[in-house]
Every structure is written in structure tokens, then in C-alpha cells.
Amino acid sequence: MLPTTSQLLRYLRLPAARQDHTVRQALVYAVWRSGSAEDAHALLAEYFRQPAEARPDCLLPVFERHGDDAMARALFAASCSNGDLLPDAPAETLGVLARLGHPDIKPLLVRYAFEPSGYDLAKHAALGLLHVDCWDLEQPIRAAIEATYGKNLFPEFLPALVCKLPDRTQMLARLYASGTEYCSTDCNAGILLGFSLCGTEGAPYFQQALLSPAWEAHSSGSGTRWYAYQGMQNLGLTFRQLYADIRGLADPTKRGFPVRVLLALLALKVGPHSWAEHPAEPFVELYPALFGWETDDSRNNLLDLAAVAGLEDEADQLEKLMVLRLNEEVLLRNYIS
């Protein structure tokens, strides 16, 4: 078991008033990143030790990443009863149980996704369905997605299920048009995610939406930015490629909004907890690509591009953070194979 796991267990046993959210998240992230099933089971015991209404939901990502069949059975037994998620159980539990492959979770996912009784339940049920076999749900998925066309608001994550359909060419085009013309930017995260999960077929729509002001992919209020960042990873779209695409825009006056998106997404990458399971774009390669000098005495990098959009201060802050992450990355290579 990791030393950090022992430290986290001690921290979780402190009175709530003595726990700091940032410290707790740092400990959880370290276990998520470097732990194992042994760490997850130790934390699960602590999770169940707490009263149901006070259980530390922050541990769920660790269970999802490092859990096993035994953990899935224990979570299901403690969280679900008579075909319902118990009121004290966090909605995120639905996605965790789907990722861990619990055989009895699918009926709950279907009901909460297609008969939504609240935003969180509908969201995590739809996201959970991404991890189960949906061969028998083609018609409900198709009908649910078609019902979003021309709507401003709808169950936000149902469109992500477009990736489960065998024939989705027309649907992707309709989703892009509807997302551009009608959909609220507080409700488009599921569409972006769906594009990214459709591989090469969805990639052109994702990349167009990413840099379109109509989609506001930089917005953090509703989670659009997070799912745009996830989508980049799903498609293998690198920051270097995104930066090159923005620099290559023929009309320099059109670069302002794309630069704002790039900086917003880059802030997630350089932040302390990216929760990314995909291989990271190494800072040792990314930093010189974004902030290097063309020659010893000539600079033409992201700082200059951001300055044109009035965002040089934001870019300067990100450069400082990236230097810290670059040094951390190089240091950790001594200890992580």
C-alpha cells in the first residue's frame, strides 16, 4: 500500500472542520495516479466506515480506476436496493459500477438515463452506458438523440451515446447543426463528448466545434471545457496540433477566440489534477513547442499569439505553471518507470 494511502486514511479520520479540500484532493489524486487494488480496498473500508450521508465521494475515482469485481459487489450492495440508487448514494456511483462491469447495473442506467429524475442521475447514467453493451438500445438511443434536435435544453449527456450507434453519419451532422444553431452552451458537453467517441467519423465535428464561438468550449461553468479536454484525449488531438492549427488560420483577426479556448484547455493540463487516463503529452515536448524561441534573439510563440488577443497575462501565468510541471515531470522520471 502506498504511504500516501496511509496518510489519506489518517486525514479522512480528522474532523471535517480540520480537513482542507485542496489537501484532500492532492492525496486522493496521488493514490488515483499511482495506487493499486490494495489501496482502493483500504480506502473502501474507510468509505463504508463513515455514515452513508457523510461518505467521502472524492474516493470514487480511485474505486473506478483501481477497483475489481469484489469492490463492485460491495459498492452495489451498499448503494443500490430494489432497482434504485439509494438516496444517500452519490450519482457518480452509477458510472463507477458501470466501469467496474457490475452485471446488475445496466437496468438502473437505462431507467435513469431515459427517464431522468434529476440532472446528476441522468448525467451519470448516460455516462455509465458508455461502458456497457448497448446493442439492444439502438432505437431508444436514436429516438432520445433525435428529440434533442432544435432544442435549447435537454438531458445533456444523452447525445454522447451517438457513439453506440452502428449508423451515425447523418446523426452526427444533425447534432453539429443543432449544437451550433440551437443548443445552449450550458448543455452541449454531451454532444462534444459524443463527437470525440466516434473516432475519425466524429473528429471533424469535434474540431470545428472546439474553435467555434457558438460552442464556447472554453466555458467552465457547465463543464463544457472539461469534456472538450477529455475529447482531445479521446481523439489523440495534441496541444501542439491545436496550436499549429490556430497559427495557421488565414485570417489573423479570427485567432482571438481559438486562442482563448487553447489557453482554457491548457490550464486543465497544467493544473494539479487532470484525472486523465490517456498517455499525457509530455511537458518536455510541449513546453518548447509553445514557448520556445524561433532563434536566440527572435521570439514567436504562444505569448505573442496571446498578446494579439489581449490574453498575454493568461499565457504568461500558464508558462510559469508549465515550467513547474516540466520540472516535476523530469524529476519523477527518476522514480517512475
Side-chain angles (χ1 to χ4, degrees):
M1 188 168 72
L2 292 174
T4 304
T5 303
S6 299
Q7 184 181 0
L8 176 57
L9 287 168
R10 292 192 297 272
Y11 200 81
L12 292 171
R13 290 165 188 163
L14 293 174
R18 293 180 57 195
Q19 295 185 35
D20 180 87
H21 171 76
T22 302
V23 173
R24 186 173 59 245
Q25 282 300 108
L27 293 170
V28 171
Y29 179 72
V31 180
W32 179 89
R33 187 68 180 260
S34 304
S36 65
E38 181 185 7
D39 300 278
H41 277 283
L43 291 170
L44 184 68
E46 178 62 25
Y47 183 79
F48 288 142
R49 196 180 73 84
Q50 303 280 354
E53 66 276 8
R55 285 174 178 163
D57 301 351
C58 60
L59 298 179
L60 290 171
V62 176
F63 303 154
E64 182 174 326
R65 183 176 174 88
H66 300 297
D68 52 23
D69 290 344
M71 181 169 291
R73 290 193 298 270
L75 274 174
F76 187 88
S79 306
C80 304
S81 179
N82 298 321
D84 285 305
L85 187 71
L86 295 175
D88 290 328
E92 291 89 341
T93 307
L94 295 170
V96 175
L97 289 168
R99 286 289 295 269
L100 294 179
H102 194 283
D104 298 326
I105 195 59
K106 184 175 177 179
L108 277 73
L109 300 178
V110 171
R111 181 156 60 83
Y112 289 130
F114 295 108
E115 302 171 20
S117 57
Y119 179 85
D120 284 343
L121 283 174
K123 171 184 175 178
H124 291 287
L127 293 176
L129 285 172
L130 295 173
H131 302 286
V132 303
D133 191 338
C134 292
W135 65 269
D136 56 334
L137 297 175
E138 180 178 346
Q139 291 310 314
I141 289 173
R142 195 174 294 278
I145 293 176
E146 289 174 347
T148 70
Y149 297 158
K151 298 282 183 63
N152 185 248
L153 298 172
F154 45 81
E156 184 172 11
F157 288 88
L158 277 175
L161 297 174
V162 67
C163 66
K164 293 290 188 175
L165 300 176
D167 178 12
R168 56 207 181 199
T169 302
Q170 285 189 323
M171 187 159 277
L172 287 170
R174 292 288 301 276
L175 278 171
Y176 182 80
S178 187
T180 301
E181 298 171 17
Y182 299 102
C183 178
S184 167
T185 53
D186 286 333
C187 197
N188 61 9
I191 304 178
L192 276 176
L193 179 60
F195 290 156
S196 75
L197 292 171
C198 288
T200 55
E201 196 175 5
Y205 297 108
F206 178 85
Q207 290 177 256
Q208 289 176 64
L210 191 66
L211 301 182
S212 167
W215 288 74
E216 294 186 8
H218 68 299
S219 174
S220 60
S222 66
T224 303
R225 178 176 65 152
W226 170 248
Y227 288 97
Y229 178 66
Q230 285 279 318
M232 286 182 64
Q233 296 171 75
N234 292 338
L235 290 168
L237 175 61
T238 66
F239 281 97
R240 284 170 290 173
Q241 180 182 339
L242 187 59
Y243 176 54
D245 290 345
I246 294 171
R247 291 185 67 177
L249 291 173
D251 184 352
T253 65
K254 301 293 186 183
R255 293 175 182 167
F257 181 79
V259 170
R260 187 176 297 277
V261 172
L262 173 62
L263 295 178
L265 296 176
L266 193 59
L268 289 176
K269 179 171 177 61
V270 303
H273 313 308
S274 67
W275 305 100
E277 294 193 43
H278 303 271
E281 188 175 1
F283 288 108
V284 72
E285 298 174 7
L286 182 57
Y287 178 81
L290 297 183
F291 294 104
W293 288 51
E294 288 195 336
T295 66
D296 289 342
D297 58 357
S298 174
R299 188 187 79 175
N300 180 18
N301 61 30
L302 182 54
L303 291 167
D304 301 280
L305 190 62
V308 174
L311 298 168
E312 189 172 15
D313 287 345
E314 288 88 339
D316 183 63
Q317 171 107 18
L318 285 172
E319 182 187 15
K320 291 180 173 66
L321 288 172
M322 190 174 289
V323 169
L324 291 174
R325 294 301 304 275
L326 170 58
N327 280 277
E328 175 189 72
E329 177 184 271
V330 173
L331 177 65
L332 287 176
R333 284 185 178 180
N334 292 298
Y335 306 100
I336 301 175
S337 58

Short mmCIF file of all heavy atoms in Angstrom, two decimals, residues 172-173 175-176 180 188-212 215-217 224-239 241-242 245 261 265:
data_model
loop_
_atom_site.label_atom_id
_atom_site.label_comp_id
_atom_site.label_asym_id
_atom_site.label_seq_id
_atom_site.Cartn_x
_atom_site.Cartn_y
_atom_site.Cartn_z
N LEU A 172 -24.61 12.59 -36.72
CA LEU A 172 -23.50 13.48 -36.33
C LEU A 172 -23.66 14.85 -36.99
O LEU A 172 -23.45 15.88 -36.33
CB LEU A 172 -22.16 12.85 -36.73
CG LEU A 172 -21.71 11.66 -35.88
CD1 LEU A 172 -20.50 10.98 -36.52
CD2 LEU A 172 -21.38 12.10 -34.46
N ALA A 173 -24.03 14.86 -38.24
CA ALA A 173 -24.22 16.13 -38.94
C ALA A 173 -25.38 16.92 -38.32
O ALA A 173 -25.28 18.15 -38.13
CB ALA A 173 -24.48 15.88 -40.42
N LEU A 175 -26.49 16.65 -35.22
CA LEU A 175 -26.08 17.11 -33.89
C LEU A 175 -25.20 18.35 -33.98
O LEU A 175 -25.34 19.29 -33.18
CB LEU A 175 -25.32 15.99 -33.16
CG LEU A 175 -26.17 14.94 -32.46
CD1 LEU A 175 -25.30 13.79 -31.97
CD2 LEU A 175 -26.96 15.54 -31.30
N TYR A 176 -24.31 18.38 -34.97
CA TYR A 176 -23.45 19.55 -35.11
C TYR A 176 -24.28 20.78 -35.46
O TYR A 176 -24.09 21.87 -34.88
CB TYR A 176 -22.37 19.34 -36.17
CG TYR A 176 -21.47 20.54 -36.28
CD1 TYR A 176 -20.44 20.73 -35.35
CD2 TYR A 176 -21.66 21.51 -37.26
CE1 TYR A 176 -19.63 21.86 -35.41
CE2 TYR A 176 -20.85 22.64 -37.33
CZ TYR A 176 -19.84 22.80 -36.40
OH TYR A 176 -19.05 23.93 -36.45
N THR A 180 -24.82 23.98 -32.97
CA THR A 180 -24.35 25.29 -33.40
C THR A 180 -25.47 26.33 -33.38
O THR A 180 -25.28 27.47 -32.97
CB THR A 180 -23.76 25.21 -34.82
OG1 THR A 180 -22.66 24.28 -34.82
CG2 THR A 180 -23.25 26.57 -35.29
N ASN A 188 -24.09 21.55 -23.96
CA ASN A 188 -23.50 20.94 -25.16
C ASN A 188 -22.34 19.99 -24.87
O ASN A 188 -21.72 19.45 -25.78
CB ASN A 188 -23.04 22.03 -26.14
CG ASN A 188 -21.96 22.94 -25.55
OD1 ASN A 188 -21.43 22.68 -24.48
ND2 ASN A 188 -21.67 24.02 -26.25
N ALA A 189 -22.05 19.73 -23.59
CA ALA A 189 -20.91 18.88 -23.26
C ALA A 189 -21.08 17.47 -23.79
O ALA A 189 -20.13 16.85 -24.27
CB ALA A 189 -20.68 18.86 -21.74
N GLY A 190 -22.29 16.92 -23.70
CA GLY A 190 -22.53 15.56 -24.18
C GLY A 190 -22.34 15.42 -25.68
O GLY A 190 -21.89 14.38 -26.16
N ILE A 191 -22.71 16.47 -26.42
CA ILE A 191 -22.51 16.41 -27.87
C ILE A 191 -21.02 16.39 -28.20
O ILE A 191 -20.56 15.58 -29.02
CB ILE A 191 -23.19 17.60 -28.57
CG1 ILE A 191 -24.68 17.66 -28.23
CG2 ILE A 191 -23.01 17.51 -30.08
CD1 ILE A 191 -25.41 18.85 -28.86
N LEU A 192 -20.26 17.27 -27.55
CA LEU A 192 -18.80 17.28 -27.77
C LEU A 192 -18.19 15.93 -27.43
O LEU A 192 -17.36 15.40 -28.18
CB LEU A 192 -18.16 18.37 -26.92
CG LEU A 192 -18.15 19.79 -27.46
CD1 LEU A 192 -17.56 20.73 -26.41
CD2 LEU A 192 -17.36 19.89 -28.75
N LEU A 193 -18.60 15.38 -26.30
CA LEU A 193 -18.07 14.07 -25.90
C LEU A 193 -18.43 13.01 -26.93
O LEU A 193 -17.60 12.17 -27.29
CB LEU A 193 -18.62 13.70 -24.52
CG LEU A 193 -18.17 12.35 -23.95
CD1 LEU A 193 -16.66 12.30 -23.79
CD2 LEU A 193 -18.87 12.08 -22.62
N GLY A 194 -19.67 13.04 -27.40
CA GLY A 194 -20.10 12.07 -28.41
C GLY A 194 -19.28 12.15 -29.68
O GLY A 194 -18.86 11.12 -30.23
N PHE A 195 -19.03 13.37 -30.16
CA PHE A 195 -18.17 13.53 -31.34
C PHE A 195 -16.82 12.84 -31.11
O PHE A 195 -16.32 12.11 -31.97
CB PHE A 195 -17.93 15.01 -31.64
CG PHE A 195 -19.12 15.76 -32.15
CD1 PHE A 195 -19.21 17.14 -32.00
CD2 PHE A 195 -20.17 15.12 -32.79
CE1 PHE A 195 -20.28 17.85 -32.49
CE2 PHE A 195 -21.27 15.82 -33.28
CZ PHE A 195 -21.32 17.20 -33.12
N SER A 196 -16.23 13.09 -29.95
CA SER A 196 -14.89 12.58 -29.69
C SER A 196 -14.84 11.07 -29.56
O SER A 196 -13.80 10.46 -29.79
CB SER A 196 -14.32 13.22 -28.42
OG SER A 196 -14.89 12.67 -27.25
N LEU A 197 -15.97 10.46 -29.20
CA LEU A 197 -16.01 9.00 -29.04
C LEU A 197 -16.36 8.27 -30.34
O LEU A 197 -16.41 7.05 -30.36
CB LEU A 197 -17.02 8.63 -27.94
CG LEU A 197 -16.62 9.06 -26.52
CD1 LEU A 197 -17.78 8.84 -25.56
CD2 LEU A 197 -15.38 8.29 -26.06
N CYS A 198 -16.57 9.04 -31.40
CA CYS A 198 -16.89 8.44 -32.70
C CYS A 198 -15.65 8.36 -33.61
O CYS A 198 -15.78 8.14 -34.82
CB CYS A 198 -18.01 9.23 -33.39
SG CYS A 198 -19.63 8.99 -32.63
N GLY A 199 -14.48 8.56 -33.04
CA GLY A 199 -13.25 8.38 -33.80
C GLY A 199 -13.14 9.30 -34.99
O GLY A 199 -13.54 10.46 -34.94
N THR A 200 -12.61 8.77 -36.08
CA THR A 200 -12.37 9.60 -37.26
C THR A 200 -13.66 10.18 -37.83
O THR A 200 -13.63 11.24 -38.45
CB THR A 200 -11.65 8.78 -38.35
OG1 THR A 200 -12.43 7.60 -38.64
CG2 THR A 200 -10.26 8.36 -37.88
N GLU A 201 -14.78 9.49 -37.62
CA GLU A 201 -16.06 9.99 -38.13
C GLU A 201 -16.51 11.24 -37.38
O GLU A 201 -17.13 12.14 -37.97
CB GLU A 201 -17.12 8.89 -38.02
CG GLU A 201 -18.36 9.13 -38.84
CD GLU A 201 -19.31 7.95 -38.80
OE1 GLU A 201 -19.04 6.98 -38.04
OE2 GLU A 201 -20.33 7.99 -39.50
N GLY A 202 -16.22 11.29 -36.10
CA GLY A 202 -16.65 12.43 -35.31
C GLY A 202 -15.61 13.52 -35.18
O GLY A 202 -15.94 14.65 -34.78
N ALA A 203 -14.35 13.22 -35.51
CA ALA A 203 -13.26 14.17 -35.31
C ALA A 203 -13.47 15.52 -36.00
O ALA A 203 -13.24 16.57 -35.39
CB ALA A 203 -11.93 13.55 -35.74
N PRO A 204 -13.91 15.56 -37.28
CA PRO A 204 -14.08 16.88 -37.92
C PRO A 204 -15.11 17.75 -37.20
O PRO A 204 -14.91 18.97 -37.08
CB PRO A 204 -14.55 16.52 -39.34
CG PRO A 204 -14.08 15.13 -39.56
CD PRO A 204 -14.17 14.46 -38.23
N TYR A 205 -16.19 17.15 -36.71
CA TYR A 205 -17.21 17.92 -35.99
C TYR A 205 -16.65 18.42 -34.67
O TYR A 205 -16.90 19.55 -34.27
CB TYR A 205 -18.45 17.06 -35.76
CG TYR A 205 -19.14 16.63 -37.02
CD1 TYR A 205 -19.07 15.29 -37.45
CD2 TYR A 205 -19.83 17.53 -37.81
CE1 TYR A 205 -19.70 14.89 -38.62
CE2 TYR A 205 -20.46 17.14 -38.99
CZ TYR A 205 -20.39 15.81 -39.38
OH TYR A 205 -21.01 15.41 -40.55
N PHE A 206 -15.91 17.57 -33.98
CA PHE A 206 -15.32 17.97 -32.70
C PHE A 206 -14.37 19.15 -32.90
O PHE A 206 -14.43 20.14 -32.16
CB PHE A 206 -14.58 16.80 -32.07
CG PHE A 206 -13.90 17.15 -30.77
CD1 PHE A 206 -14.60 17.11 -29.58
CD2 PHE A 206 -12.56 17.54 -30.74
CE1 PHE A 206 -13.99 17.46 -28.37
CE2 PHE A 206 -11.94 17.88 -29.55
CZ PHE A 206 -12.66 17.84 -28.36
N GLN A 207 -13.51 19.06 -33.89
CA GLN A 207 -12.51 20.10 -34.09
C GLN A 207 -13.14 21.42 -34.54
O GLN A 207 -12.69 22.49 -34.14
CB GLN A 207 -11.45 19.63 -35.07
CG GLN A 207 -10.56 18.53 -34.48
CD GLN A 207 -9.55 17.98 -35.46
OE1 GLN A 207 -9.71 16.90 -36.00
NE2 GLN A 207 -8.48 18.73 -35.69
N GLN A 208 -14.19 21.33 -35.34
CA GLN A 208 -14.90 22.56 -35.73
C GLN A 208 -15.57 23.20 -34.52
O GLN A 208 -15.50 24.41 -34.32
CB GLN A 208 -15.94 22.25 -36.80
CG GLN A 208 -15.38 21.89 -38.16
CD GLN A 208 -16.48 21.50 -39.13
OE1 GLN A 208 -17.33 22.32 -39.48
NE2 GLN A 208 -16.50 20.24 -39.55
N ALA A 209 -16.24 22.36 -33.73
CA ALA A 209 -16.94 22.88 -32.55
C ALA A 209 -15.97 23.46 -31.54
O ALA A 209 -16.25 24.49 -30.90
CB ALA A 209 -17.77 21.77 -31.91
N LEU A 210 -14.82 22.84 -31.39
CA LEU A 210 -13.84 23.25 -30.38
C LEU A 210 -13.45 24.71 -30.55
O LEU A 210 -13.30 25.44 -29.56
CB LEU A 210 -12.60 22.36 -30.49
CG LEU A 210 -11.57 22.45 -29.36
CD1 LEU A 210 -12.17 21.95 -28.06
CD2 LEU A 210 -10.33 21.64 -29.73
N LEU A 211 -13.31 25.16 -31.78
CA LEU A 211 -12.83 26.52 -32.04
C LEU A 211 -13.92 27.47 -32.50
O LEU A 211 -13.64 28.59 -32.92
CB LEU A 211 -11.70 26.47 -33.08
CG LEU A 211 -10.48 25.63 -32.70
CD1 LEU A 211 -9.41 25.71 -33.77
CD2 LEU A 211 -9.91 26.07 -31.36
N SER A 212 -15.19 27.03 -32.40
CA SER A 212 -16.31 27.88 -32.82
C SER A 212 -16.87 28.65 -31.64
O SER A 212 -17.22 28.05 -30.61
CB SER A 212 -17.41 27.01 -33.43
OG SER A 212 -18.62 27.76 -33.57
N TRP A 215 -19.99 27.40 -29.66
CA TRP A 215 -19.96 26.28 -28.71
C TRP A 215 -19.34 26.65 -27.37
O TRP A 215 -19.51 25.93 -26.39
CB TRP A 215 -19.19 25.11 -29.33
CG TRP A 215 -19.95 24.44 -30.43
CD1 TRP A 215 -20.15 24.92 -31.69
CD2 TRP A 215 -20.63 23.19 -30.37
NE1 TRP A 215 -20.90 24.04 -32.43
CE2 TRP A 215 -21.22 22.96 -31.64
CE3 TRP A 215 -20.78 22.23 -29.38
CZ2 TRP A 215 -21.95 21.82 -31.93
CZ3 TRP A 215 -21.52 21.08 -29.66
CH2 TRP A 215 -22.09 20.89 -30.93
N GLU A 216 -18.59 27.74 -27.30
CA GLU A 216 -17.98 28.20 -26.05
C GLU A 216 -17.28 27.05 -25.31
O GLU A 216 -17.52 26.81 -24.12
CB GLU A 216 -19.01 28.87 -25.14
CG GLU A 216 -19.55 30.17 -25.71
CD GLU A 216 -20.46 30.91 -24.74
OE1 GLU A 216 -20.56 30.50 -23.56
OE2 GLU A 216 -21.07 31.90 -25.16
N ALA A 217 -16.39 26.37 -26.02
CA ALA A 217 -15.72 25.21 -25.43
C ALA A 217 -14.78 25.59 -24.29
O ALA A 217 -14.32 24.71 -23.55
CB ALA A 217 -14.93 24.47 -26.52
N THR A 224 -18.39 22.26 -19.98
CA THR A 224 -18.05 22.09 -21.39
C THR A 224 -16.54 21.99 -21.58
O THR A 224 -16.04 21.16 -22.33
CB THR A 224 -18.60 23.27 -22.22
OG1 THR A 224 -20.01 23.35 -22.03
CG2 THR A 224 -18.30 23.07 -23.70
N ARG A 225 -15.80 22.83 -20.86
CA ARG A 225 -14.34 22.83 -21.00
C ARG A 225 -13.75 21.47 -20.63
O ARG A 225 -12.84 20.98 -21.32
CB ARG A 225 -13.73 23.93 -20.12
CG ARG A 225 -12.22 23.99 -20.17
CD ARG A 225 -11.64 25.13 -19.37
NE ARG A 225 -11.91 25.00 -17.95
CZ ARG A 225 -11.11 25.53 -17.01
NH1 ARG A 225 -10.02 26.19 -17.34
NH2 ARG A 225 -11.41 25.39 -15.73
N TRP A 226 -14.23 20.85 -19.57
CA TRP A 226 -13.69 19.57 -19.14
C TRP A 226 -13.91 18.51 -20.20
O TRP A 226 -13.02 17.71 -20.51
CB TRP A 226 -14.31 19.15 -17.81
CG TRP A 226 -13.97 17.75 -17.44
CD1 TRP A 226 -14.81 16.68 -17.39
CD2 TRP A 226 -12.67 17.23 -17.11
NE1 TRP A 226 -14.13 15.53 -17.06
CE2 TRP A 226 -12.81 15.85 -16.86
CE3 TRP A 226 -11.41 17.81 -16.99
CZ2 TRP A 226 -11.74 15.04 -16.51
CZ3 TRP A 226 -10.34 17.00 -16.63
CH2 TRP A 226 -10.52 15.63 -16.40
N TYR A 227 -15.11 18.47 -20.80
CA TYR A 227 -15.39 17.44 -21.79
C TYR A 227 -14.72 17.76 -23.13
O TYR A 227 -14.44 16.85 -23.91
CB TYR A 227 -16.90 17.23 -21.91
CG TYR A 227 -17.41 16.51 -20.69
CD1 TYR A 227 -17.98 17.20 -19.63
CD2 TYR A 227 -17.23 15.13 -20.56
CE1 TYR A 227 -18.39 16.53 -18.48
CE2 TYR A 227 -17.64 14.45 -19.41
CZ TYR A 227 -18.21 15.16 -18.39
OH TYR A 227 -18.58 14.50 -17.25
N ALA A 228 -14.44 19.03 -23.39
CA ALA A 228 -13.61 19.36 -24.55
C ALA A 228 -12.19 18.83 -24.35
O ALA A 228 -11.58 18.27 -25.27
CB ALA A 228 -13.58 20.88 -24.76
N TYR A 229 -11.68 18.97 -23.14
CA TYR A 229 -10.35 18.45 -22.80
C TYR A 229 -10.33 16.93 -22.89
O TYR A 229 -9.41 16.34 -23.45
CB TYR A 229 -10.00 18.93 -21.39
CG TYR A 229 -8.67 18.44 -20.85
CD1 TYR A 229 -7.47 18.83 -21.44
CD2 TYR A 229 -8.62 17.61 -19.73
CE1 TYR A 229 -6.26 18.40 -20.92
CE2 TYR A 229 -7.40 17.18 -19.22
CZ TYR A 229 -6.23 17.57 -19.82
OH TYR A 229 -5.02 17.14 -19.32
N GLN A 230 -11.36 16.28 -22.35
CA GLN A 230 -11.47 14.83 -22.47
C GLN A 230 -11.54 14.41 -23.93
O GLN A 230 -10.93 13.41 -24.33
CB GLN A 230 -12.75 14.35 -21.75
CG GLN A 230 -12.65 14.34 -20.25
CD GLN A 230 -11.93 13.10 -19.74
OE1 GLN A 230 -12.15 12.00 -20.22
NE2 GLN A 230 -11.07 13.29 -18.77
N GLY A 231 -12.30 15.18 -24.72
CA GLY A 231 -12.44 14.86 -26.13
C GLY A 231 -11.13 14.91 -26.88
O GLY A 231 -10.87 14.09 -27.77
N MET A 232 -10.29 15.88 -26.56
CA MET A 232 -8.96 15.95 -27.18
C MET A 232 -8.19 14.66 -26.92
O MET A 232 -7.55 14.10 -27.82
CB MET A 232 -8.17 17.13 -26.62
CG MET A 232 -8.61 18.49 -27.10
SD MET A 232 -7.58 19.83 -26.42
CE MET A 232 -5.97 19.46 -27.14
N GLN A 233 -8.27 14.17 -25.70
CA GLN A 233 -7.56 12.94 -25.37
C GLN A 233 -8.17 11.73 -26.07
O GLN A 233 -7.45 10.85 -26.54
CB GLN A 233 -7.58 12.74 -23.85
CG GLN A 233 -6.82 13.83 -23.11
CD GLN A 233 -7.03 13.73 -21.62
OE1 GLN A 233 -6.45 12.86 -20.98
NE2 GLN A 233 -7.85 14.59 -21.07
N ASN A 234 -9.49 11.69 -26.15
CA ASN A 234 -10.15 10.58 -26.83
C ASN A 234 -9.71 10.47 -28.28
O ASN A 234 -9.57 9.37 -28.83
CB ASN A 234 -11.68 10.74 -26.78
CG ASN A 234 -12.24 10.60 -25.38
OD1 ASN A 234 -11.62 10.00 -24.50
ND2 ASN A 234 -13.43 11.15 -25.16
N LEU A 235 -9.49 11.61 -28.91
CA LEU A 235 -9.14 11.64 -30.33
C LEU A 235 -7.63 11.70 -30.57
O LEU A 235 -7.19 11.66 -31.72
CB LEU A 235 -9.81 12.84 -31.01
CG LEU A 235 -11.32 12.75 -31.17
CD1 LEU A 235 -11.90 14.10 -31.58
CD2 LEU A 235 -11.70 11.68 -32.19
N GLY A 236 -6.86 11.83 -29.50
CA GLY A 236 -5.42 11.98 -29.69
C GLY A 236 -5.04 13.32 -30.27
O GLY A 236 -3.99 13.46 -30.91
N LEU A 237 -5.89 14.34 -30.07
CA LEU A 237 -5.61 15.68 -30.57
C LEU A 237 -4.67 16.37 -29.59
O LEU A 237 -5.02 16.61 -28.44
CB LEU A 237 -6.91 16.48 -30.70
CG LEU A 237 -6.79 17.95 -31.11
CD1 LEU A 237 -6.13 18.09 -32.48
CD2 LEU A 237 -8.18 18.60 -31.11
N THR A 238 -3.48 16.71 -30.02
CA THR A 238 -2.48 17.28 -29.13
C THR A 238 -2.59 18.80 -29.08
O THR A 238 -3.14 19.44 -29.98
CB THR A 238 -1.06 16.91 -29.58
OG1 THR A 238 -0.79 17.55 -30.85
CG2 THR A 238 -0.90 15.40 -29.71
N PHE A 239 -2.04 19.37 -28.01
CA PHE A 239 -1.99 20.82 -27.91
C PHE A 239 -1.07 21.40 -28.98
O PHE A 239 -1.31 22.51 -29.47
CB PHE A 239 -1.52 21.23 -26.52
CG PHE A 239 -2.59 21.16 -25.48
CD1 PHE A 239 -2.70 20.04 -24.66
CD2 PHE A 239 -3.51 22.18 -25.34
CE1 PHE A 239 -3.70 19.96 -23.70
CE2 PHE A 239 -4.51 22.11 -24.39
CZ PHE A 239 -4.61 21.00 -23.57
N GLN A 241 -0.76 20.27 -32.00
CA GLN A 241 -1.53 20.32 -33.23
C GLN A 241 -2.54 21.46 -33.19
O GLN A 241 -2.73 22.18 -34.18
CB GLN A 241 -2.26 18.98 -33.44
CG GLN A 241 -3.10 18.93 -34.71
CD GLN A 241 -3.84 17.60 -34.84
OE1 GLN A 241 -3.47 16.60 -34.24
NE2 GLN A 241 -4.90 17.60 -35.63
N LEU A 242 -3.21 21.62 -32.02
CA LEU A 242 -4.19 22.69 -31.89
C LEU A 242 -3.53 24.06 -32.05
O LEU A 242 -4.06 24.95 -32.73
CB LEU A 242 -4.87 22.57 -30.52
CG LEU A 242 -6.06 23.49 -30.24
CD1 LEU A 242 -7.16 23.28 -31.25
CD2 LEU A 242 -6.58 23.25 -28.82
N ASP A 245 -2.77 24.62 -35.68
CA ASP A 245 -4.00 24.93 -36.43
C ASP A 245 -4.39 26.40 -36.25
O ASP A 245 -4.82 27.06 -37.20
CB ASP A 245 -5.15 24.03 -35.98
CG ASP A 245 -4.97 22.59 -36.41
OD1 ASP A 245 -4.13 22.32 -37.28
OD2 ASP A 245 -5.68 21.71 -35.86
N VAL A 261 -9.72 29.53 -26.20
CA VAL A 261 -10.02 28.11 -25.97
C VAL A 261 -8.74 27.35 -25.64
O VAL A 261 -8.69 26.55 -24.70
CB VAL A 261 -10.73 27.50 -27.19
CG1 VAL A 261 -10.86 25.98 -27.04
CG2 VAL A 261 -12.10 28.13 -27.38
N LEU A 265 -8.06 25.28 -22.12
CA LEU A 265 -7.80 23.84 -22.09
C LEU A 265 -6.40 23.54 -21.55
O LEU A 265 -6.20 22.57 -20.81
CB LEU A 265 -7.97 23.25 -23.48
CG LEU A 265 -9.38 23.35 -24.06
CD1 LEU A 265 -9.41 22.83 -25.50
CD2 LEU A 265 -10.38 22.57 -23.21
#
